Amino acid sequence: MRRSISLFILVLITFCRASSLPKEIQVQSNSNVETIAIIFSLASNGSSSWPINEIQPVRSDAREVFKSYNEHEAVKIAEDLIENGLWLDGMIGVVLHCSPFPEGVYIHEIEENLYIRASKIDDAVNGKILIEDFIKAVNRFYIETNVEGFLIKHENSYTGMLKEVESNLPDNNFINFLENYYGKENASYTLIPSPIIHKGQGFGNRISTEKGLKVYNTFAPLIFATDTTTYKFGFDDANQINELSAHEFGHSFVNPISNLPQNHEKIDSSSYLYEQIKELVKYGSWITTVNEHIIRTVEIRLSIQLSDEKRANRLRNFHTYKRGFVFIPEIETKLIEYENNRDNYNSLEDYYPILLEAFSEIDSTQMMLKLGKGPLSEVAFVVHSKLISDTSKVYIAGNHDDLGQWDPGKTVLSNNSNSDWTRRFSFHDGEHIEYKITRGNWDNQAIANDGSSLGNSILNVNGDTTIVIEIEKWKDQLN
């Protein structure tokens, strides 16, 4: 067996997490995934033109080492597959079903959906032929370009990367909570970090076996940095690893339930909502949007059950208002009902028809509010500070045009003496407003009394209101 393959098997053995969990979260590097990541980085319609603006050493070296192979047969077939609809996530799904390159052959049956995606005419038989030709070409690519030598060259990076992920794995109870919540067990859960995949990407894949589903989460570096000291190996971020695990592992439970004929039909019946939010969520279909809503809401509920209210609130705010998953409040209400009635529902699959009612129960008035297009309401901001003179100028900066779109010196408040500065705005009910108070720039913004930075203040507009803000300290008054 070739040395690189032995290396990766050794790494897998070394970094599988030992615990008392019925199933361990495994952490491994996968030479098949790395080979596909290299090929995708060479494809003209892959990531060959994507810039590398931050530190990503292994990816940068791969582009330099393999750039002369952009006309290789494996790269040209990859370009055809991408054009047909089998993108990087699908290619990774394919090679996870194979034995290690350069002797890659199927060792698990590939889902028909991957064959269909690979075919320009959406024909599984045609797609299977293309994928089989691709695997043969990748075997040759692995030998002819010396992928093995490249992986050995970066052995220290892979070892360091795996250590970073291993040291940031979720709580020991994570898998228990996950399986208990969904009411279903999978055969295994594996994290596959890749230093070659472009930053910001992550993919969930599943393999069906006699013992159940093997679930994989392949993901790119998590650290965005311009210096190696900050970057280290690119994966030292516990929050992102935890949330990626909950999200991508969650797909292994939710997607199969949504694809059941009776549930798919119910999801289709509310597809009229998709046109109104597709530009917010930026997913290509209504069923995918529904799955993302449910999985993201379960992430929130799991955080609560793990006694992490702070994370739950952050996820709720981020997913609902910044990512556009506007039906999360309704889904969360349904999931709380599910949690309180587990004696009647052994699994989320049992409860799914009721859960899907969260979408069909949305009326037009609620929809307008969710899109921030409700009736206009008057919002008054009153800032009080005795720490500055009445002649000082005070500004409000926020995520709205009327608040200067975060320009700290654009939207000035009126001074009413008595150390008060005020201004009134008209916002639509349902709008999500975030803001901070400054004296013209971020170097003299309002801060907490202990000198720490303040997070964005948040207002979800719902009728006329007055917001009174007491300034404890300004940033330029720290010394």
Side-chain angles (χ1 to χ4, degrees):
M1 183 174 290
R2 293 174 174 263
R3 183 185 166 194
S4 66
I5 297 174
S6 300
L7 164 66
F8 282 96
I9 291 175
L10 174 61
V11 168
L12 169 59
I13 293 171
T14 304
F15 290 99
C16 285
R17 187 182 195 187
S19 75
S20 58
L21 290 176
K23 296 183 186 70
E24 302 168 348
I25 297 179
Q26 299 180 356
V27 181
Q28 72 176 76
S29 190
N30 186 292
S31 56
N32 281 12
V33 169
E34 297 307 279
T35 306
I36 291 300
I38 292 168
I39 291 171
F40 187 79
S41 75
L42 298 175
S44 61
N45 53 355
S47 61
S48 62
S49 62
W50 296 3
I52 302 179
N53 297 323
E54 300 89 12
I55 292 288
Q56 198 170 350
V58 182
R59 174 174 169 77
S60 297
D61 192 42
R63 288 176 68 161
E64 181 64 27
V65 169
F66 296 99
K67 64 182 181 182
S68 61
Y69 295 97
N70 62 343
E71 295 296 323
H72 192 281
E73 180 188 11
V75 177
K76 306 317 289 184
I77 297 177
E79 291 174 349
D80 290 340
L81 292 173
I82 294 167
E83 181 68 24
N84 294 348
L86 191 73
W87 206 65
L88 179 58
D89 63 316
M91 294 182 191
I92 290 173
V94 167
V95 301
L96 286 175
H97 287 75
C98 295
S99 55
F101 299 128
E103 299 172 358
V105 294
Y106 297 150
I107 54 176
H108 299 287
E109 184 176 348
I110 291 182
E111 298 90 341
E112 185 179 56
N113 175 58
L114 290 174
Y115 290 140
I116 292 172
R117 287 178 59 188
S119 170
K120 189 173 184 178
I121 57 175
D122 295 334
D123 178 76
V125 174
N126 173 254
K128 183 176 181 180
I129 294 171
L130 290 172
I131 286 178
E132 288 175 347
D133 288 343
F134 180 56
I135 292 171
K136 293 174 184 176
V138 175
N139 281 327
R140 292 190 289 272
F141 179 92
Y142 188 94
I143 296 171
E144 293 165 12
T145 66
N146 193 20
V147 172
E148 175 180 324
F150 180 83
L151 298 178
I152 293 172
K153 172 184 174 182
H154 289 284
E155 180 178 343
N156 288 339
S157 293
Y158 283 100
T159 301
M161 168 191 76
L162 292 166
K163 285 182 178 178
E164 284 187 344
V165 176
E166 168 67 15
S167 67
N168 287 293
L169 286 176
D171 183 274
N172 285 343
N173 292 318
F174 175 76
I175 293 297
N176 275 339
F177 272 104
L178 196 69
E179 293 190 334
N180 289 338
Y181 196 92
Y182 284 107
K184 180 185 174 183
E185 295 185 14
N186 289 316
S188 63
Y189 300 85
T190 304
L191 298 177
I192 305 177
S194 168
I196 300 179
I197 295 175
H198 195 275
K199 286 179 182 176
Q201 297 185 308
F203 312 108
N205 295 101
R206 302 178 296 278
I207 296 177
S208 296
T209 71
E210 292 181 356
K211 296 181 178 180
L213 286 180
K214 291 184 175 182
V215 186
Y216 298 87
N217 175 8
T218 303
F219 56 103
L222 307 171
I223 305 298
F224 287 72
T226 55
D227 63 278
T228 55
T229 301
T230 303
Y231 182 80
K232 292 184 282 188
F233 296 102
F235 292 87
D236 191 15
D237 191 316
N239 276 335
Q240 290 198 65
I241 289 173
N242 190 299
E243 290 162 20
L244 271 171
S245 299
H247 188 90
E248 298 300 342
F249 291 160
H251 277 290
S252 69
F253 300 100
V254 170
N255 291 21
I257 303 174
S258 290
N259 287 331
L260 293 173
Q262 67 273 23
N263 292 330
H264 204 309
E265 182 178 353
K266 195 172 183 68
I267 290 169
D268 286 344
S269 70
S270 60
S271 60
Y272 57 89
L273 297 171
Y274 177 59
E275 288 300 317
Q276 301 181 68
I277 68 166
K278 67 179 182 180
E279 293 304 318
L280 293 174
V281 298
K282 301 188 185 305
Y283 279 93
S285 69
W286 175 234
I287 190 169
T288 302
T289 302
V290 168
N291 291 343
E292 290 291 333
H293 268 90
I294 293 170
I295 290 166
R296 291 165 193 260
T297 311
V298 171
E299 290 177 48
I300 296 167
R301 300 307 306 166
L302 285 172
S303 294
I304 290 173
Q305 295 210 359
L306 289 166
S307 301
D308 195 341
E309 289 280 352
K310 183 177 180 180
R311 171 178 285 166
N313 290 333
R314 177 173 57 79
L315 290 173
R316 189 181 291 113
N317 178 62
F318 177 77
H319 290 320
T320 307
Y321 300 110
K322 294 189 176 181
R323 286 292 286 109
F325 292 94
V326 296
F327 304 120
I328 280 178
E330 286 74 18
I331 297 170
E332 188 166 10
T333 297
K334 294 289 188 184
L335 287 178
I336 291 171
E337 179 183 338
Y338 165 66
E339 293 164 14
N340 292 335
N341 291 276
R342 290 302 300 273
D343 288 344
N344 298 324
Y345 304 103
N346 292 324
S347 67
L348 189 66
E349 181 177 340
D350 295 340
Y351 183 74
Y352 221 64
I354 298 173
L355 179 62
L356 293 178
E357 291 173 2
F359 299 100
S360 59
E361 292 171 353
I362 302 294
D363 61 32
S364 58
T365 300
Q366 290 174 304
M367 194 67 228
M368 294 300 286
L369 289 173
K370 288 183 174 300
L371 298 175
K373 298 178 180 179
L376 284 172
S377 291
E378 186 174 88
V379 177
F381 292 93
V382 179
V383 176
H384 182 73
S385 176
K386 292 184 177 181
L387 303 172
I388 55 176
S389 69
D390 287 345
T391 59
S392 298
K393 289 187 176 181
V394 175
Y395 300 79
I396 185 169
N399 65 338
H400 193 281
D401 287 345
D402 290 350
L403 303 181
Q405 290 295 351
W406 294 111
D407 184 333
K410 185 173 183 178
T411 306
V412 66
L413 306 182
S414 299
N415 175 248
N416 294 340
S417 71
N418 298 320
S419 302
D420 283 342
W421 289 259
T422 66
R423 185 158 174 175
R424 296 179 182 275
F425 301 87
S426 292
F427 298 125
H428 289 281
D429 283 358
E431 284 195 271
H432 175 76
I433 304 298
E434 298 190 18
Y435 60 92
K436 287 188 172 186
I437 304 300
T438 80
R439 297 204 329 276
N441 60 67
W442 297 119
D443 289 333
N444 52 23
Q445 65 181 290
I447 59 175
N449 191 46
D450 63 3
S452 62
S453 297
L454 295 171
N456 297 344
S457 296
I458 293 174
L459 169 67
N460 294 314
V461 182
N462 184 23
D464 297 343
T465 189
T466 297
I467 308 296
V468 179
I469 305 162
E470 184 75 32
I471 304 300
E472 298 177 344
K473 187 172 288 187
W474 300 93
K475 189 174 180 179
D476 60 336
Q477 297 174 340
L478 279 174
N479 297 324

